[in-house]
Amino acid sequence: MIDVHYTPASLAEAMLEALPIDFQPATIADFSAGEGALLIQAQRKWRNAVIYANDICQNGACKLLKSNPNWVVSCTDFLSKTSHTDTEFSVHKNGIDLILLNPPFSERRRGRFESDWFSKEKWSAGLATTFVFLSLKYLSKNGCMIAIVPDGSLTSMRDKKGWELISSKHVVEVLKENPVNSFKGAAAKTSIIMIKKRTSNDSVNEVTKFNTSKSERKITVLRGNVQMHKVVTIDAGFKLIHTSNLSLGEVLDENAPMVSKGLRVIGPAILFPRVGQASRQKISILREGCEVVLSDCVLAVVCKSSDSANYLKDKILDKWSEFFKLYRGTGAPYITIERASLFLNSLT
């Protein structure tokens, strides 16, 4: 056994909430499934999806996984070459729409993993990075991976080559830093990341810079996940904030539509556009205690107090020319979570 830090339900829910609300995967997989917490949450949301589960622990976790009669379960070492040729999931390379992953963190029994059999280029990395790399071989063209990874894997020189190879073909975003006590019996700094395959509109130069001391960052940038053209309004729910609600430095929510789900943010917070023409007036303060849902065109930074929110806003405006340059792209200009995070953390 490598380690046993099963995913708590709260983190599983946070991972699924990060996905666009209209995302409808036909196939879902977890290659280090444990007791199946991630897949259980996913099946509740997408009841008709085909579920692929794998775990190394045949006498423990796999017995629990097999108690789900509709799941396709494999009991194998995912880091072994034979796992990718002789398992139920091995025939689905480039065919899984949603990969959920909480890979092994502890390396007491294994240490770094040499990648001599799955990559033309010789390199080595820790278990978490290796798990992510191998899992991405199964991701479909329009699929998405949501994974929990230790912060150390995102920042260490040991894993640098692995993340460079991943980022050369995929867009990687750090969505959320988890509390240190997220896992029972373990004090681990971890983050939730989202990975998608690059498209023709994604510049290869936009490789996520994981080696810029992410472990030292104090500011976490969150991205909304409600697509405006798919909004279904209700009479009572949460107010949906889009870029059009950001004006004159404030969040104008009086005429905002009401929705039932999406990424919720409670003020005090700073909200600003993710995509479109940025302006100083759209760097807006969400009032303390105000709870809203964000469209996928809005980014947010939750602050400890109203004073800290105003302080951060002033810092952004003081460095406006530098911040404005972070919005770029071949079509509509946009800013990534990583670019925003690097900039904001450089201000503190």
Side-chain angles (χ1 to χ4, degrees), residues 184-199:
K184 185 178 180 179
K189 291 184 177 181
T190 63
S191 293
I192 297 175
I193 63 173
M194 175 185 289
I195 306 180
K196 298 180 180 180
K197 288 190 174 182
R198 287 191 177 277
T199 68

Side-chain angles (χ1 to χ4, degrees), residues 263-280:
L263 177 69
R264 297 196 299 273
V265 170
I266 302 176
I270 296 284
L271 305 188
F272 55 95
R274 180 186 66 86
V275 64
Q277 191 63 50
S279 68
R280 296 169 62 94

Side-chain angles (χ1 to χ4, degrees), residues 6-11 148 176-188 190:
Y6 294 140
T7 311
S10 58
L11 281 189
I148 299 172
K176 180 179 183 292
E177 294 179 354
N178 302 318
V180 175
N181 61 349
S182 293
F183 293 92
K184 185 178 180 179
T190 63

Side-chain angles (χ1 to χ4, degrees), residues 170-221:
H170 301 84
V171 176
V172 185
E173 290 186 316
V174 179
L175 302 179
K176 180 179 183 292
E177 294 179 354
N178 302 318
V180 175
N181 61 349
S182 293
F183 293 92
K184 185 178 180 179
K189 291 184 177 181
T190 63
S191 293
I192 297 175
I193 63 173
M194 175 185 289
I195 306 180
K196 298 180 180 180
K197 288 190 174 182
R198 287 191 177 277
T199 68
S200 58
N201 293 325
D202 296 314
S203 170
V204 176
N205 293 328
E206 295 301 326
V207 174
T208 305
K209 296 171 182 164
F210 288 105
N211 275 26
T212 50
S213 300
K214 177 183 174 301
S215 61
E216 298 300 321
R217 299 179 197 172
K218 298 179 181 179
I219 294 176
T220 299
V221 180

Side-chain angles (χ1 to χ4, degrees), residues 131-147:
F131 248 84
V132 170
F133 181 91
L134 288 175
S135 298
L136 287 170
K137 293 181 177 294
Y138 295 88
L139 191 65
S140 65
K141 180 180 179 181
N142 297 314
C144 183
M145 173 190 285
I146 303 289

